[in-house]
Amino acid sequence: MTFQIYNKEIGVWVGESDIPTQDPDLGNTEVPLPGEVGQGITYAFDESIQMWRSYTAEQWENYLANKMTRLPDNDEKFKAMVTDQLLSLSKSVLSASTQFVLTTRSVTELQTQLKELQTQLKQFTEAKQPTEVQQPAEIKEEAQHV
Protein backbone atom coordinates (compact mmCIF):
# COMPACT_ATOMS: atom_id res chain seq x y z
CA MET A 1 0.00 0.00 0.00
CA THR A 2 1.40 3.40 -0.99
CA PHE A 3 0.59 6.59 0.87
CA GLN A 4 0.61 9.97 -0.82
CA ILE A 5 2.01 12.62 1.51
CA TYR A 6 0.93 16.26 1.33
CA ASN A 7 1.48 19.51 3.21
CA LYS A 8 -1.56 20.08 5.45
CA GLU A 9 -1.42 23.87 5.25
CA ILE A 10 -1.51 24.28 1.45
CA GLY A 11 -2.26 20.72 0.34
CA VAL A 12 0.70 20.41 -2.03
CA TRP A 13 1.94 16.88 -2.79
CA VAL A 14 5.25 16.18 -1.00
CA GLY A 15 5.96 12.58 -1.92
CA GLU A 16 4.90 9.00 -1.39
CA SER A 17 5.82 6.33 1.11
CA ASP A 18 5.03 2.76 2.04
CA ILE A 19 4.35 3.90 5.60
CA PRO A 20 2.29 6.90 6.71
CA THR A 21 4.22 9.92 7.96
CA GLN A 22 4.02 10.90 11.61
CA ASP A 23 4.90 14.54 10.94
CA PRO A 24 2.06 16.75 12.31
CA ASP A 25 2.49 19.25 9.43
CA LEU A 26 2.00 16.56 6.79
CA GLY A 27 -1.03 14.51 5.86
CA ASN A 28 -1.38 11.00 4.42
CA THR A 29 -3.87 9.67 1.95
CA GLU A 30 -4.35 6.46 0.03
CA VAL A 31 -5.99 8.37 -2.83
CA PRO A 32 -3.65 8.02 -5.83
CA LEU A 33 -2.45 11.03 -7.81
CA PRO A 34 -4.52 11.61 -10.98
CA GLY A 35 -1.42 11.92 -13.20
CA GLU A 36 2.37 11.92 -13.26
CA VAL A 37 4.40 14.34 -11.21
CA GLY A 38 6.61 16.78 -13.12
CA GLN A 39 4.50 17.37 -16.21
CA GLY A 40 4.06 21.09 -15.42
CA ILE A 41 1.18 20.23 -13.11
CA THR A 42 1.13 20.77 -9.34
CA TYR A 43 -1.09 18.54 -7.25
CA ALA A 44 -2.79 19.66 -4.05
CA PHE A 45 -4.93 17.43 -1.88
CA ASP A 46 -8.32 18.83 -0.94
CA GLU A 47 -9.20 17.28 2.42
CA SER A 48 -12.80 18.50 2.27
CA ILE A 49 -13.57 16.25 -0.71
CA GLN A 50 -10.73 13.73 -0.28
CA MET A 51 -9.45 14.31 -3.83
CA TRP A 52 -6.37 15.64 -5.58
CA ARG A 53 -6.69 18.85 -7.56
CA SER A 54 -4.43 19.59 -10.55
CA TYR A 55 -3.04 23.11 -11.10
CA THR A 56 -1.05 24.68 -13.92
CA ALA A 57 1.72 27.11 -12.91
CA GLU A 58 -0.58 30.12 -13.24
CA GLN A 59 -3.45 28.41 -11.42
CA TRP A 60 -1.05 27.38 -8.66
CA GLU A 61 0.09 31.00 -8.15
CA ASN A 62 -3.54 32.11 -7.88
CA TYR A 63 -4.32 29.22 -5.52
CA LEU A 64 -1.40 30.15 -3.23
CA ALA A 65 -2.36 33.84 -3.27
CA ASN A 66 -5.91 32.94 -2.22
CA LYS A 67 -4.79 30.34 0.29
CA MET A 68 -2.32 32.65 2.00
CA THR A 69 -4.59 35.71 2.09
CA ARG A 70 -7.73 34.01 3.27
CA LEU A 71 -10.26 35.83 5.40
CA PRO A 72 -10.55 34.89 9.06
CA ASP A 73 -13.22 32.35 9.89
CA ASN A 74 -15.88 32.87 12.57
CA ASP A 75 -13.73 31.21 15.25
CA GLU A 76 -10.81 33.54 14.50
CA LYS A 77 -13.13 36.55 14.47
CA PHE A 78 -14.55 35.50 17.84
CA LYS A 79 -11.04 35.05 19.29
CA ALA A 80 -10.05 38.50 18.00
CA MET A 81 -13.18 40.05 19.54
CA VAL A 82 -12.51 38.37 22.91
CA THR A 83 -8.88 39.49 22.78
CA ASP A 84 -9.99 43.09 22.13
CA GLN A 85 -12.41 42.91 25.06
CA LEU A 86 -9.70 41.48 27.34
CA LEU A 87 -7.36 44.28 26.30
CA SER A 88 -10.03 46.86 27.06
CA LEU A 89 -10.77 45.27 30.45
CA SER A 90 -7.06 45.13 31.25
CA LYS A 91 -6.74 48.85 30.52
CA SER A 92 -9.74 49.52 32.79
CA VAL A 93 -8.22 47.45 35.60
CA LEU A 94 -4.91 49.27 35.23
CA SER A 95 -6.67 52.64 35.36
CA ALA A 96 -8.70 51.62 38.43
CA SER A 97 -5.57 50.27 40.14
CA THR A 98 -3.74 53.54 39.51
CA GLN A 99 -6.67 55.53 40.88
CA PHE A 100 -6.79 53.24 43.93
CA VAL A 101 -3.08 53.84 44.63
CA LEU A 102 -3.52 57.61 44.32
CA THR A 103 -6.59 57.56 46.59
CA THR A 104 -4.77 55.42 49.16
CA ARG A 105 -1.85 57.86 49.14
CA SER A 106 -4.23 60.80 49.65
CA VAL A 107 -6.02 59.05 52.52
CA THR A 108 -2.68 58.26 54.18
CA GLU A 109 -1.61 61.91 53.89
CA LEU A 110 -4.94 63.07 55.35
CA GLN A 111 -4.62 60.61 58.25
CA THR A 112 -1.13 61.95 58.97
CA GLN A 113 -2.39 65.54 58.90
CA LEU A 114 -5.30 64.60 61.18
CA LYS A 115 -2.92 63.06 63.74
CA GLU A 116 -0.75 66.18 63.64
CA LEU A 117 -3.80 68.41 64.17
CA GLN A 118 -5.03 66.23 67.04
CA THR A 119 -1.60 66.47 68.67
CA GLN A 120 -1.57 70.27 68.24
CA LEU A 121 -5.11 70.53 69.64
CA LYS A 122 -4.15 68.42 72.65
CA GLN A 123 -1.08 70.59 73.30
CA PHE A 124 -3.14 73.78 72.90
CA THR A 125 -5.86 72.50 75.23
CA GLU A 126 -3.33 71.48 77.88
CA ALA A 127 -1.63 74.89 77.71
CA LYS A 128 -4.93 76.73 78.30
CA GLN A 129 -5.91 74.75 81.41
CA PRO A 130 -4.88 76.32 84.78
CA THR A 131 -2.34 74.34 86.77
CA GLU A 132 -4.33 74.69 90.04
CA VAL A 133 -8.04 74.54 90.42
CA GLN A 134 -9.24 77.51 92.51
CA GLN A 135 -11.97 77.07 95.03
CA PRO A 136 -14.98 79.40 94.93
CA ALA A 137 -14.04 81.00 98.26
CA GLU A 138 -10.58 81.91 97.01
CA ILE A 139 -12.12 83.51 93.93
CA LYS A 140 -14.40 85.69 96.16
CA GLU A 141 -11.45 86.71 98.28
CA GLU A 142 -9.44 87.75 95.26
CA ALA A 143 -12.40 89.71 93.92
CA GLN A 144 -12.74 91.65 97.24
CA HIS A 145 -9.07 92.65 97.20
CA VAL A 146 -9.38 94.22 93.80
Side-chain angles (χ1 to χ4, degrees):
M1 179 176 300
T2 303
F3 292 93
Q4 302 300 321
I5 301 169
Y6 60 94
N7 177 293
K8 283 185 177 180
E9 184 177 355
I10 58 174
V12 68
W13 179 82
V14 175
E16 63 183 26
S17 175
D18 292 333
I19 56 172
T21 181
Q22 301 300 316
D23 188 326
D25 295 329
L26 301 177
N28 301 290
T29 182
E30 294 177 23
V31 177
L33 288 172
E36 284 190 37
V37 175
Q39 300 297 317
I41 301 293
T42 301
Y43 296 103
F45 191 69
D46 187 337
E47 290 181 331
S48 66
I49 59 172
Q50 293 293 302
M51 289 181 64
W52 290 99
R53 294 188 182 265
S54 304
Y55 297 94
T56 64
E58 186 179 329
Q59 290 171 330
W60 182 246
E61 285 181 29
N62 291 335
Y63 171 81
L64 285 179
N66 289 334
K67 189 79 167 169
M68 297 308 197
T69 57
R70 66 176 180 77
L71 297 175
D73 61 18
N74 287 339
D75 189 44
E76 291 167 330
K77 288 178 185 176
F78 176 76
K79 287 178 184 177
M81 182 184 69
V82 169
T83 301
D84 286 345
Q85 290 175 348
L86 286 174
L87 179 61
S88 176
L89 288 171
S90 295
K91 287 179 181 178
S92 296
V93 167
L94 180 61
S95 176
S97 296
T98 301
Q99 188 61 43
F100 177 75
V101 168
L102 294 174
T103 302
T104 301
R105 186 178 299 147
S106 296
V107 167
T108 302
E109 290 173 5
L110 288 172
Q111 287 174 332
T112 302
Q113 290 175 3
L114 179 62
K115 286 180 184 177
E116 290 173 1
L117 288 172
Q118 287 173 333
T119 302
Q120 290 174 0
L121 179 62
K122 184 177 178 182
Q123 291 171 349
F124 180 75
T125 305
E126 289 174 353
K128 288 289 185 178
Q129 289 181 350
T131 51
E132 289 183 20
V133 178
Q134 294 181 337
Q135 297 298 326
E138 293 174 358
I139 295 173
K140 278 185 185 177
E141 226 174 86
E142 283 181 18
Q144 288 174 354
H145 291 297
V146 177

